[in-house]
Amino acid sequence: MNISASTDATFPADAQWLAVPLFDDDAAPPASTSDTPLGPVLARLIEARALGGGLGDVTPILGASDLGVEGVQAYGLGKREKFGPGAAFSAGVALAKRLAGKPRGKVAVLVPDEGDQAAIASSLTEGLVVGTVGPDLRKQERGRHPFESLVIVAPGTDPAALDESVRRGEVVGNAVNSARELVNTPPAEKTPALLAERVKSLAIEAGVKVEVWDERRIESERFGGLMGVASGSDHPPRFVVLSYHNGGDRPTIALVGKGVTFDSGGLSLKPSASMEDMKSDMTGAAVVAASIAAAARLKLPVNVVGYLPMTENMTGGRAMKLGDVLTMRNGKTVEVLNTDAEGRLILADALSYAVESNPCRILDLATLTGACMVALGTRYAGLFGNDDDWVRSVELASKSTGERTWRLPLDDDFLDALKSTVSDLKNVGGKWGGAITAAKFLEQFVGETPWAHLDIAGPSWADSDSPTRDAGGTGCFVRTLVALMEALARPS
């Protein structure tokens, strides 16, 4: 799909499809349409209350046949006072989902005349790119068709700034789709070795350095957690290190992503219904890989290293048992009392290894606990950390994209629930505060390094389709990670 930008006050003359934004309860059409033939048509329909401006609404414009185009759509933005990058992204997804149901030629989309139009254009472009790709990876006929070309129109905007924003939106939107595709890939097609190769290809194409460890290297590096979780599978684990250094003498940040390619729960077996979406348990790794690739494509002046432990959690004859004690990379011993609490075990090794490279900050992302979904639902990620400034940076980045986080406590007394009689720690706490005790467990492997943890179990997966989101993997927090790296790239 060829994507370009235009600051022309009129729609491109050769566009076959036009899309205009509409806020909920708007009394007049967008000002940028007032001097076009579309303006009076919109005004009549708005006065007749024939158009919906709710977020996710997409309404065909009737009576526009004399405009010389195949069709016009009004896409809703929700309440003007609540509008921001998150709403622009969702509106773009909804519009693209509607239009991409059939092959289209040239589509021109008008940017809302609200706020920083260049920034809004980027989020809108991200959503349009995401919405043209569905989750139907293995259907004989795809249900979505990327447009032949897409023009983002923002009259009165600085042309250079608009071009840069639209290009950024295209890169970030494609990165979200890369993460979604990895998550939606069937588990038989993304064993740890296969996923590592796909991540390697994604990274190399973007100009990111890649190192892939096999099981012998992992064992020699004393990754006891990763080897323990992998022991029940016929498919050996992998550990992937992604390195992007374009920040000169700037300090390096570390991103760690959980990569469990399928989680049966191990001997603490999940019910069948709870396994249906467990191909998504590697979302953290997919998001980190896609985000670093996006940073490289955008040539961001940052130094970032990604650490991705990859394994299946299965029930084979060599699977770890309840009561087994594993020794982590940093020497801490862990008693395994629930094999379905495996993500924290592989992250413990990855975090320990990341700390040894002395990064200035660490952020890990993991579909870690169902308890976080009980606490916050499916739209919020739980946010934890040992450094208020770093946690605040993550919060600001998420707010700038409209992706939702909520900080949860991490007081020292939560560590009491992880005390073991036979080892330094046990891998589960008690009945209460499961997301917090899981985060407290991870904290034991970061030392004094500023660290933040996102439990993305809820927003990583959508059980059903909606106007602004597809069922399946969502690619959540790619947009936030890119925004975070952009913020770190700016002068202090």
Side-chain angles (χ1 to χ4, degrees):
M1 183 166 64
N2 179 48
I3 302 178
S4 60
S6 173
T7 58
D8 198 329
T10 59
F11 281 108
D14 57 344
Q16 286 89 45
W17 288 82
L18 310 179
V20 294
L22 188 68
F23 286 98
D24 202 15
D25 297 328
D26 262 357
S32 50
T33 67
S34 59
D35 294 329
T36 71
L38 188 57
V41 176
L42 288 171
R44 289 197 302 271
L45 292 172
I46 290 172
E47 185 177 2
R49 299 184 180 277
L51 296 177
L55 185 60
D57 287 346
V58 180
T59 310
I61 303 296
L62 304 179
S65 58
D66 58 343
L67 298 177
V69 295
E70 293 182 24
V72 181
Q73 303 278 341
Y75 67 98
L77 305 170
K79 300 288 186 183
R80 186 179 290 269
E81 62 269 20
K82 294 183 177 180
F83 182 70
F89 174 82
S90 295
V93 172
L95 175 61
K97 286 181 68 174
R98 179 68 63 86
L99 285 176
K102 295 180 179 180
R104 311 288 183 189
K106 190 171 189 176
V107 175
V109 179
L110 184 64
V111 176
D113 52 357
E114 179 76 14
D116 183 344
Q117 278 200 299
I120 294 299
S122 180
S123 295
L124 179 63
T125 304
E126 293 165 23
L128 288 163
V129 170
V130 170
T132 59
V133 177
D136 49 352
L137 298 181
R138 297 296 178 267
K139 288 190 176 182
Q140 287 184 312
E141 294 185 13
R142 294 288 185 95
R144 307 274 173 82
H145 307 271
F147 317 133
E148 288 183 15
S149 61
L150 172 65
V151 184
I152 307 299
V153 184
T157 306
D158 177 71
L162 182 62
D163 283 342
E164 182 178 352
S165 293
V166 169
R167 177 182 172 274
R168 177 194 179 277
E170 181 179 8
V171 169
V172 176
N174 283 326
V176 174
N177 283 340
S178 293
R180 292 172 63 211
E181 181 178 355
L182 289 174
V183 172
N184 287 331
T185 297
E189 299 175 27
K190 61 176 181 192
T191 62
L194 292 176
L195 179 60
E197 285 304 309
R198 294 189 66 176
V199 167
K200 181 178 179 180
S201 297
L202 175 69
I204 289 175
E205 288 174 6
V208 176
K209 182 180 176 182
V210 186
E211 185 179 358
V212 179
W213 297 4
D214 63 13
E215 64 272 27
R216 292 183 181 85
R217 174 73 184 274
I218 292 168
E219 186 173 19
S220 70
E221 294 285 354
R222 310 184 314 280
F223 278 34
L226 182 53
M227 291 300 297
V229 174
S231 62
S233 173
D234 288 340
H235 296 285
R238 291 292 183 266
F239 185 67
V240 179
V241 181
L242 305 175
S243 302
Y244 171 68
H245 294 282
N246 191 42
D249 58 359
R250 294 174 186 265
T252 299
I253 62 169
L255 300 177
V256 178
K258 175 186 172 184
V260 175
T261 61
F262 187 78
D263 182 16
S264 71
L267 294 182
S268 303
L269 193 66
K270 294 177 182 290
S272 179
S274 298
M275 282 192 229
E276 291 177 0
D277 59 0
M278 281 299 101
K279 65 181 182 181
S280 70
D281 212 15
M282 37 61 68
T283 297
V287 168
V288 169
S291 301
I292 293 176
R297 292 188 186 279
L298 293 171
K299 295 180 169 55
L300 297 184
V302 294
N303 299 317
V304 57
V305 180
Y307 301 91
L308 313 178
M310 299 176 181
T311 182
E312 290 183 334
N313 185 27
M314 301 296 286
T315 60
R318 296 186 302 275
M320 61 182 179
K321 306 170 183 67
L322 277 69
D324 279 348
V325 175
L326 308 177
T327 302
M328 305 293 112
R329 165 76 184 192
N330 70 350
K332 287 185 182 293
T333 56
V334 177
E335 182 184 14
V336 177
L337 293 181
N338 187 330
T339 62
D340 197 22
E342 85 296 334
R344 65 200 70 182
L345 298 175
I346 69 172
L347 289 173
D349 284 331
L351 290 168
S352 299
Y353 183 73
V355 166
E356 294 171 16
S357 297
N358 296 314
C360 65
R361 302 175 185 90
I362 298 178
L363 172 62
D364 77 75
L365 296 92
T367 49
L368 202 62
T369 67
C372 197
M373 298 171 65
V374 172
L376 300 177
T378 60
R379 294 286 184 148
Y380 275 84
L383 175 59
F384 306 82
N386 64 1
D387 183 274
D388 289 342
D389 289 340
W390 179 223
V391 170
R392 181 61 177 162
S393 295
V394 177
E395 284 181 317
L396 290 173
S398 69
K399 287 181 179 179
S400 76
T401 65
E403 296 188 294
R404 305 180 210 174
T405 65
W406 194 266
R407 189 173 185 182
L408 292 169
L410 205 61
D411 303 83
D412 287 341
D413 53 358
F414 285 104
L415 188 58
D416 293 340
L418 296 170
K419 290 180 178 178
S420 167
T421 58
V422 300
S423 60
D424 297 323
L425 298 165
K426 56 184 180 181
N427 76 324
V428 287
K431 183 178 179 180
W432 310 113
I436 300 173
T437 54
K440 198 66 183 177
F441 180 91
L442 297 181
E443 187 184 28
Q444 308 315 301
F445 300 90
V446 298
E448 299 301 317
T449 306
W451 159 78
H453 159 62
L454 279 172
D455 189 332
I456 60 173
S460 68
W461 184 265
D463 285 325
S464 59
D465 185 73
S466 71
T468 60
R469 197 163 70 158
D470 281 309
T474 63
C476 66
F477 292 97
V478 169
R479 297 165 55 235
T480 291
L481 289 192
V482 173
L484 180 64
M485 287 185 279
E486 288 173 328
L488 295 171
R490 298 186 192 110
S492 298

